[in-house]
Amino acid sequence: MNKYEKSTLIVTPIVILLGYLLGIVGSSSENQIFGIDLYLFIVLITYLIQYIVFIPSYIFQTEKYFDITASLTYIFITIFASFSSIFQSIKSLTIAVMVLIWASRLGAFLFKRVHVVGKDVRFDEAKKSFIRFFGFWNLQALWITFTSIAALVVITSNTDQNVDIYYFIGVVIWIIGFYFEVHSDSQKMKFKMDESNNGKFISSGLWSLSRHPNYFGEIMIWLGVAIIAFPVLSGYQYFALSSPVFVYLLLTRASGIPILEKNADKKWGGQEAYEEYQRNTPVLIPKLFS
């Protein structure tokens, strides 16, 4: 057993426990299924779906269904929560539609990307180990649970949810985030598919405003959802406001920007054009003026 497997054995039980605790925090006891709070039940389903898809993925040594499983999980639990909730409001319906649109678009994009590229380098070694690969699927379950907590708490709540200023501010922020994520992903995909750009880095379009505009959009999407959810929360449920904070920390401190910046420095570091791009372009928050 190598050091990565040993660390995974320690981290995985913590990841499972955190997911369960989030399920408790987001519970309201207003809606129940089989004597279990609806939100906690949805968290359990989230983990179960990852485990079910993990088994054939490990057997056939493929990561091609990892990202699409996350998107389909978002879609399934959102629809399940909506149809299982007794009370519906404009807020809960709006948030449900937001999550469904985002998850469908992202799932289609990631599924296409992994099939065009042929593989995801993150799993080159990990998928060979049952322990490490299983750890990735648990982390994905926690990621889904953490990011969607504000959305699902609202959808599963029976609290009166009148349209207010938080609703309109949240919707505007979500639209801005969705625009940045969709268009930056599209621009980068087109850039990479152009053979004349082989070995080059993208610095046009939204990528001229930020080195990671898609991640900026991702954070804004969940910030918008959290703002809409704010008036509906009570007690321990206010922890759901940590959803965009979690996304921000994950993308800026863990698996997102640090890895991409390191790889970019290795590939283009020292080139005058890249060094100038780094100096003049913010890492995350887009520059509004030149």
Side-chain angles (χ1 to χ4, degrees), residues 144-187:
I144 296 170
T145 302
F146 227 130
T147 54
S148 65
I149 182 172
L152 292 177
V153 165
V154 173
I155 295 172
T156 59
S157 175
N158 289 341
T159 304
D160 187 21
Q161 304 173 21
N162 295 322
V163 172
D164 49 24
I165 188 64
Y166 294 100
Y167 174 85
F168 292 107
I169 293 175
V171 168
V172 170
I173 290 177
W174 186 91
I175 291 174
I176 292 172
F178 190 70
Y179 171 82
F180 266 85
E181 184 173 76
V182 171
H183 283 276
S184 58
D185 280 343
S186 176
Q187 289 170 356

Side-chain angles (χ1 to χ4, degrees), residues 34-282:
F34 305 121
I36 303 175
D37 179 85
L38 176 57
Y39 177 70
L40 176 59
F41 188 80
I42 290 171
V43 172
L44 297 177
I45 289 177
T46 298
Y47 275 77
L48 180 60
I49 292 173
Q50 310 315 304
Y51 297 161
I52 291 173
V53 183
F54 159 74
I55 295 172
S57 296
Y58 176 72
I59 292 174
F60 294 104
Q61 289 290 283
T62 179
E63 70 277 21
K64 290 187 176 181
Y65 304 105
F66 186 79
D67 289 323
I68 192 64
T69 299
S71 297
L72 291 176
T73 302
Y74 276 110
I75 293 171
F76 176 79
I77 62 178
T78 300
I79 294 175
F80 181 83
S82 297
F83 280 95
S84 300
S85 299
I86 299 172
F87 181 82
Q88 291 293 335
S89 68
I90 293 179
K91 275 193 174 183
S92 60
L93 290 173
T94 299
I95 286 180
V97 170
M98 284 177 167
V99 175
L100 291 175
I101 291 174
W102 169 81
S104 299
R105 200 289 308 182
L106 184 63
F109 171 77
L110 293 175
F111 189 73
K112 178 182 178 181
R113 186 180 69 178
V114 75
H115 279 76
V116 169
V117 175
K119 66 174 184 176
D120 189 328
V121 294
R122 291 177 298 172
F123 301 102
D124 284 350
E125 295 299 323
K127 66 184 178 184
K128 300 175 184 178
S129 166
F130 180 94
I131 295 173
R132 289 186 63 190
F133 202 30
F134 184 61
F136 270 98
W137 289 86
N138 275 284
L139 285 171
Q140 176 156 274
L142 180 62
W143 170 59
I144 296 170
T145 302
F146 227 130
T147 54
S148 65
I149 182 172
L152 292 177
V153 165
V154 173
I155 295 172
T156 59
S157 175
N158 289 341
T159 304
D160 187 21
Q161 304 173 21
N162 295 322
V163 172
D164 49 24
I165 188 64
Y166 294 100
Y167 174 85
F168 292 107
I169 293 175
V171 168
V172 170
I173 290 177
W174 186 91
I175 291 174
I176 292 172
F178 190 70
Y179 171 82
F180 266 85
E181 184 173 76
V182 171
H183 283 276
S184 58
D185 280 343
S186 176
Q187 289 170 356
K188 191 169 186 177
M189 177 66 78
K190 291 178 180 178
F191 182 86
K192 285 188 172 182
M193 292 181 70
D194 186 343
E195 294 184 359
S196 65
N197 292 324
N198 286 342
K200 299 178 181 179
F201 62 91
I202 184 171
S203 59
S204 57
L206 294 178
W207 297 86
S208 67
L209 307 179
S210 166
R211 301 210 295 272
H212 302 279
N214 52 337
Y215 287 163
F216 170 76
E218 178 85 356
I219 295 168
M220 290 299 100
I221 283 172
W222 295 110
L223 177 60
V225 170
I227 290 174
I228 296 173
F230 176 67
V232 183
L233 308 177
S234 63
Y236 291 120
Q237 290 181 340
Y238 281 111
F239 186 77
L241 296 176
S242 64
S243 169
V245 177
F246 171 78
V247 175
Y248 171 80
L249 292 176
L250 181 68
L251 295 178
T252 62
R253 298 291 185 269
S255 64
I257 291 176
I259 294 175
L260 293 176
E261 287 287 303
K262 183 178 180 180
N263 290 339
D265 288 342
K266 286 182 179 179
K267 195 169 185 178
W268 298 296
Q271 295 183 21
E272 184 177 347
Y274 177 71
E275 296 294 336
E276 183 179 356
Y277 176 68
Q278 271 197 321
R279 286 194 301 269
N280 299 326
T281 311

